[in-house]
PDB file of all heavy atoms in Angstrom:
ATOM      1  N   LEU A 201      91.949 102.248  87.269  1.00 94.00           N
ATOM      2  CA  LEU A 201      92.599 101.810  86.033  1.00 94.00           C
ATOM      3  C   LEU A 201      91.504 101.960  84.925  1.00 94.00           C
ATOM      4  O   LEU A 201      90.477 101.321  84.999  1.00 94.00           O
ATOM      5  CB  LEU A 201      93.071 100.383  86.173  1.00 94.00           C
ATOM      6  CG  LEU A 201      93.569  99.670  84.874  1.00 94.00           C
ATOM      7  CD1 LEU A 201      94.776 100.464  84.321  1.00 94.00           C
ATOM      8  CD2 LEU A 201      93.906  98.220  85.165  1.00 94.00           C
ATOM      9  N   VAL A 202      91.779 102.714  83.917  1.00 95.00           N
ATOM     10  CA  VAL A 202      90.871 102.891  82.824  1.00 95.00           C
ATOM     11  C   VAL A 202      91.138 101.841  81.756  1.00 95.00           C
ATOM     12  O   VAL A 202      90.229 101.236  81.246  1.00 95.00           O
ATOM     13  CB  VAL A 202      91.031 104.413  82.190  1.00 95.00           C
ATOM     14  CG1 VAL A 202      90.063 104.536  81.040  1.00 95.00           C
ATOM     15  CG2 VAL A 202      90.714 105.336  83.313  1.00 95.00           C
ATOM     16  N   SER A 203      92.355 101.694  81.363  1.00 93.00           N
ATOM     17  CA  SER A 203      92.694 100.728  80.361  1.00 93.00           C
ATOM     18  C   SER A 203      94.211 100.459  80.404  1.00 93.00           C
ATOM     19  O   SER A 203      94.949 101.280  80.881  1.00 93.00           O
ATOM     20  CB  SER A 203      92.304 101.139  78.918  1.00 93.00           C
ATOM     21  OG  SER A 203      93.058 102.273  78.544  1.00 93.00           O
ATOM     22  N   ARG A 204      94.619  99.290  79.836  1.00 90.00           N
ATOM     23  CA  ARG A 204      96.053  98.999  79.787  1.00 90.00           C
ATOM     24  C   ARG A 204      96.352  98.167  78.583  1.00 90.00           C
ATOM     25  O   ARG A 204      95.692  97.170  78.271  1.00 90.00           O
ATOM     26  CB  ARG A 204      96.463  98.218  81.017  1.00 90.00           C
ATOM     27  CG  ARG A 204      97.961  97.973  81.180  1.00 90.00           C
ATOM     28  CD  ARG A 204      98.276  97.359  82.512  1.00 90.00           C
ATOM     29  NE  ARG A 204      99.757  97.256  82.728  1.00 90.00           N
ATOM     30  CZ  ARG A 204     100.474  96.186  82.564  1.00 90.00           C
ATOM     31  NH1 ARG A 204      99.906  95.112  81.981  1.00 90.00           N
ATOM     32  NH2 ARG A 204     101.788  96.205  82.722  1.00 90.00           N
ATOM     33  N   THR A 205      97.380  98.611  77.813  1.00 85.00           N
ATOM     34  CA  THR A 205      97.952  97.863  76.674  1.00 85.00           C
ATOM     35  C   THR A 205      99.448  97.757  76.959  1.00 85.00           C
ATOM     36  O   THR A 205     100.001  98.413  77.825  1.00 85.00           O
ATOM     37  CB  THR A 205      97.645  98.589  75.365  1.00 85.00           C
ATOM     38  OG1 THR A 205      98.491  99.837  75.374  1.00 85.00           O
ATOM     39  CG2 THR A 205      96.156  98.957  75.209  1.00 85.00           C
ATOM     40  N   PRO A 206     100.155  96.944  76.104  1.00 75.00           N
ATOM     41  CA  PRO A 206     101.537  96.902  76.267  1.00 75.00           C
ATOM     42  C   PRO A 206     102.307  98.215  76.156  1.00 75.00           C
ATOM     43  O   PRO A 206     103.337  98.408  76.645  1.00 75.00           O
ATOM     44  CB  PRO A 206     102.015  95.910  75.152  1.00 75.00           C
ATOM     45  CG  PRO A 206     100.808  95.069  74.951  1.00 75.00           C
ATOM     46  CD  PRO A 206      99.631  95.961  75.159  1.00 75.00           C
ATOM     47  N   ASP A 207     101.743  99.148  75.415  1.00 73.00           N
ATOM     48  CA  ASP A 207     102.298 100.476  75.143  1.00 73.00           C
ATOM     49  C   ASP A 207     101.843 101.544  76.050  1.00 73.00           C
ATOM     50  O   ASP A 207     102.593 102.545  76.284  1.00 73.00           O
ATOM     51  CB  ASP A 207     102.037 100.914  73.673  1.00 73.00           C
ATOM     52  CG  ASP A 207     102.647  99.996  72.672  1.00 73.00           C
ATOM     53  OD1 ASP A 207     103.748  99.518  72.915  1.00 73.00           O
ATOM     54  OD2 ASP A 207     102.008  99.747  71.675  1.00 73.00           O
ATOM     55  N   LEU A 208     100.675 101.460  76.664  1.00 86.00           N
ATOM     56  CA  LEU A 208     100.150 102.574  77.334  1.00 86.00           C
ATOM     57  C   LEU A 208      99.163 102.116  78.444  1.00 86.00           C
ATOM     58  O   LEU A 208      98.207 101.351  78.185  1.00 86.00           O
ATOM     59  CB  LEU A 208      99.430 103.562  76.339  1.00 86.00           C
ATOM     60  CG  LEU A 208      98.891 104.865  76.966  1.00 86.00           C
ATOM     61  CD1 LEU A 208     100.039 105.700  77.492  1.00 86.00           C
ATOM     62  CD2 LEU A 208      98.153 105.649  75.871  1.00 86.00           C
ATOM     63  N   THR A 209      99.292 102.715  79.590  1.00 92.00           N
ATOM     64  CA  THR A 209      98.325 102.498  80.717  1.00 92.00           C
ATOM     65  C   THR A 209      97.669 103.783  81.067  1.00 92.00           C
ATOM     66  O   THR A 209      98.312 104.845  81.248  1.00 92.00           O
ATOM     67  CB  THR A 209      99.108 101.938  81.976  1.00 92.00           C
ATOM     68  OG1 THR A 209      99.628 100.801  81.697  1.00 92.00           O
ATOM     69  CG2 THR A 209      98.107 101.875  83.147  1.00 92.00           C
ATOM     70  N   LEU A 210      96.312 103.773  81.084  1.00 95.00           N
ATOM     71  CA  LEU A 210      95.527 104.995  81.422  1.00 95.00           C
ATOM     72  C   LEU A 210      94.916 104.828  82.821  1.00 95.00           C
ATOM     73  O   LEU A 210      94.301 103.915  83.147  1.00 95.00           O
ATOM     74  CB  LEU A 210      94.410 105.172  80.429  1.00 95.00           C
ATOM     75  CG  LEU A 210      94.783 105.260  78.920  1.00 95.00           C
ATOM     76  CD1 LEU A 210      93.535 105.500  78.054  1.00 95.00           C
ATOM     77  CD2 LEU A 210      95.811 106.405  78.713  1.00 95.00           C
ATOM     78  N   LEU A 211      95.213 105.846  83.629  1.00 96.00           N
ATOM     79  CA  LEU A 211      94.626 105.944  85.022  1.00 96.00           C
ATOM     80  C   LEU A 211      93.875 107.210  85.149  1.00 96.00           C
ATOM     81  O   LEU A 211      94.126 108.175  84.482  1.00 96.00           O
ATOM     82  CB  LEU A 211      95.776 105.849  86.071  1.00 96.00           C
ATOM     83  CG  LEU A 211      96.659 104.645  86.103  1.00 96.00           C
ATOM     84  CD1 LEU A 211      97.753 104.815  87.160  1.00 96.00           C
ATOM     85  CD2 LEU A 211      95.896 103.397  86.394  1.00 96.00           C
ATOM     86  N   ALA A 212      93.013 107.163  86.059  1.00 96.00           N
ATOM     87  CA  ALA A 212      92.206 108.386  86.362  1.00 96.00           C
ATOM     88  C   ALA A 212      92.144 108.631  87.851  1.00 96.00           C
ATOM     89  O   ALA A 212      91.916 107.674  88.645  1.00 96.00           O
ATOM     90  CB  ALA A 212      90.741 108.286  85.834  1.00 96.00           C
ATOM     91  N   CYS A 213      92.287 109.840  88.280  1.00 95.00           N
ATOM     92  CA  CYS A 213      92.277 110.237  89.741  1.00 95.00           C
ATOM     93  C   CYS A 213      91.061 111.039  90.093  1.00 95.00           C
ATOM     94  O   CYS A 213      90.706 111.945  89.215  1.00 95.00           O
ATOM     95  CB  CYS A 213      93.555 110.909  90.100  1.00 95.00           C
ATOM     96  SG  CYS A 213      93.699 111.305  91.841  1.00 95.00           S
ATOM     97  N   GLU A 214      90.417 110.808  91.130  1.00 94.00           N
ATOM     98  CA  GLU A 214      89.200 111.528  91.509  1.00 94.00           C
ATOM     99  C   GLU A 214      89.292 111.932  93.013  1.00 94.00           C
ATOM    100  O   GLU A 214      89.628 111.078  93.848  1.00 94.00           O
ATOM    101  CB  GLU A 214      87.968 110.646  91.207  1.00 94.00           C
ATOM    102  CG  GLU A 214      86.671 111.352  91.548  1.00 94.00           C
ATOM    103  CD  GLU A 214      85.445 110.466  91.056  1.00 94.00           C
ATOM    104  OE1 GLU A 214      85.694 109.356  90.552  1.00 94.00           O
ATOM    105  OE2 GLU A 214      84.329 110.815  91.420  1.00 94.00           O
ATOM    106  N   GLY A 215      88.867 113.123  93.356  1.00 94.00           N
ATOM    107  CA  GLY A 215      88.766 113.617  94.686  1.00 94.00           C
ATOM    108  C   GLY A 215      89.897 114.444  95.098  1.00 94.00           C
ATOM    109  O   GLY A 215      90.468 115.204  94.308  1.00 94.00           O
ATOM    110  N   HIS A 216      90.290 114.485  96.386  1.00 94.00           N
ATOM    111  CA  HIS A 216      91.262 115.364  96.927  1.00 94.00           C
ATOM    112  C   HIS A 216      92.561 114.513  97.124  1.00 94.00           C
ATOM    113  O   HIS A 216      92.511 113.406  97.695  1.00 94.00           O
ATOM    114  CB  HIS A 216      90.906 115.917  98.277  1.00 94.00           C
ATOM    115  CG  HIS A 216      89.813 116.850  98.176  1.00 94.00           C
ATOM    116  ND1 HIS A 216      89.445 117.732  99.184  1.00 94.00           N
ATOM    117  CD2 HIS A 216      88.845 117.156  97.203  1.00 94.00           C
ATOM    118  CE1 HIS A 216      88.453 118.551  98.818  1.00 94.00           C
ATOM    119  NE2 HIS A 216      88.021 118.169  97.568  1.00 94.00           N
ATOM    120  N   ILE A 217      93.690 115.058  96.681  1.00 94.00           N
ATOM    121  CA  ILE A 217      95.038 114.345  96.992  1.00 94.00           C
ATOM    122  C   ILE A 217      95.677 115.192  98.067  1.00 94.00           C
ATOM    123  O   ILE A 217      96.344 116.208  97.836  1.00 94.00           O
ATOM    124  CB  ILE A 217      95.857 114.315  95.741  1.00 94.00           C
ATOM    125  CG1 ILE A 217      95.126 113.920  94.474  1.00 94.00           C
ATOM    126  CG2 ILE A 217      97.110 113.413  95.979  1.00 94.00           C
ATOM    127  CD1 ILE A 217      95.982 113.885  93.192  1.00 94.00           C
ATOM    128  N   THR A 218      95.451 114.801  99.287  1.00 93.00           N
ATOM    129  CA  THR A 218      95.906 115.535 100.459  1.00 93.00           C
ATOM    130  C   THR A 218      96.473 114.582 101.507  1.00 93.00           C
ATOM    131  O   THR A 218      96.374 113.360 101.360  1.00 93.00           O
ATOM    132  CB  THR A 218      94.730 116.299 101.100  1.00 93.00           C
ATOM    133  OG1 THR A 218      93.765 115.343 101.583  1.00 93.00           O
ATOM    134  CG2 THR A 218      94.039 117.327 100.137  1.00 93.00           C
ATOM    135  N   GLN A 219      97.034 115.146 102.496  1.00 92.00           N
ATOM    136  CA  GLN A 219      97.641 114.333 103.616  1.00 92.00           C
ATOM    137  C   GLN A 219      96.624 113.381 104.223  1.00 92.00           C
ATOM    138  O   GLN A 219      96.885 112.204 104.454  1.00 92.00           O
ATOM    139  CB  GLN A 219      98.285 115.237 104.615  1.00 92.00           C
ATOM    140  CG  GLN A 219      98.926 114.439 105.736  1.00 92.00           C
ATOM    141  CD  GLN A 219      99.683 115.390 106.766  1.00 92.00           C
ATOM    142  OE1 GLN A 219      99.390 116.605 106.715  1.00 92.00           O
ATOM    143  NE2 GLN A 219     100.549 114.842 107.601  1.00 92.00           N
ATOM    144  N   SER A 220      95.442 113.942 104.512  1.00 90.00           N
ATOM    145  CA  SER A 220      94.391 113.192 105.137  1.00 90.00           C
ATOM    146  C   SER A 220      93.909 111.988 104.253  1.00 90.00           C
ATOM    147  O   SER A 220      93.778 110.880 104.773  1.00 90.00           O
ATOM    148  CB  SER A 220      93.236 114.043 105.525  1.00 90.00           C
ATOM    149  OG  SER A 220      92.646 114.675 104.429  1.00 90.00           O
ATOM    150  N   THR A 221      93.792 112.257 102.995  1.00 89.00           N
ATOM    151  CA  THR A 221      93.248 111.166 102.065  1.00 89.00           C
ATOM    152  C   THR A 221      94.313 110.106 101.836  1.00 89.00           C
ATOM    153  O   THR A 221      94.057 108.929 101.775  1.00 89.00           O
ATOM    154  CB  THR A 221      92.768 111.759 100.800  1.00 89.00           C
ATOM    155  OG1 THR A 221      93.754 112.468 100.161  1.00 89.00           O
ATOM    156  CG2 THR A 221      91.504 112.608 100.986  1.00 89.00           C
ATOM    157  N   LEU A 222      95.555 110.518 101.804  1.00 89.00           N
ATOM    158  CA  LEU A 222      96.658 109.567 101.620  1.00 89.00           C
ATOM    159  C   LEU A 222      96.893 108.785 102.872  1.00 89.00           C
ATOM    160  O   LEU A 222      97.174 107.606 102.820  1.00 89.00           O
ATOM    161  CB  LEU A 222      97.932 110.383 101.211  1.00 89.00           C
ATOM    162  CG  LEU A 222      97.991 110.997  99.833  1.00 89.00           C
ATOM    163  CD1 LEU A 222      99.155 111.910  99.691  1.00 89.00           C
ATOM    164  CD2 LEU A 222      98.008 109.900  98.793  1.00 89.00           C
ATOM    165  N   ASN A 223      96.740 109.405 104.034  1.00 85.00           N
ATOM    166  CA  ASN A 223      96.869 108.715 105.256  1.00 85.00           C
ATOM    167  C   ASN A 223      95.823 107.635 105.520  1.00 85.00           C
ATOM    168  O   ASN A 223      96.010 106.542 105.990  1.00 85.00           O
ATOM    169  CB  ASN A 223      96.865 109.633 106.472  1.00 85.00           C
ATOM    170  CG  ASN A 223      98.252 110.437 106.612  1.00 85.00           C
ATOM    171  OD1 ASN A 223      99.194 110.103 106.002  1.00 85.00           O
ATOM    172  ND2 ASN A 223      98.082 111.539 107.343  1.00 85.00           N
ATOM    173  N   ALA A 224      94.608 108.003 105.007  1.00 79.00           N
ATOM    174  CA  ALA A 224      93.486 107.133 105.186  1.00 79.00           C
ATOM    175  C   ALA A 224      93.533 105.892 104.238  1.00 79.00           C
ATOM    176  O   ALA A 224      93.154 104.761 104.624  1.00 79.00           O
ATOM    177  CB  ALA A 224      92.191 107.891 104.935  1.00 79.00           C
ATOM    178  N   ALA A 225      93.978 106.212 102.954  1.00 70.00           N
ATOM    179  CA  ALA A 225      93.939 105.147 101.987  1.00 70.00           C
ATOM    180  C   ALA A 225      95.300 104.452 101.666  1.00 70.00           C
ATOM    181  O   ALA A 225      95.363 103.457 101.063  1.00 70.00           O
ATOM    182  CB  ALA A 225      93.374 105.749 100.720  1.00 70.00           C
ATOM    183  N   GLY A 226      96.361 105.048 102.216  1.00 77.00           N
ATOM    184  CA  GLY A 226      97.668 104.568 101.882  1.00 77.00           C
ATOM    185  C   GLY A 226      98.048 104.927 100.440  1.00 77.00           C
ATOM    186  O   GLY A 226      97.406 105.815  99.855  1.00 77.00           O
TER     187      GLY A 226
END
């Protein structure tokens, strides 16, 4: 979570989005 206001939420993703990483982290 980078920042959040009533109008806008900023998120940042880092690394690999794959089956193995999703299985490991949920």
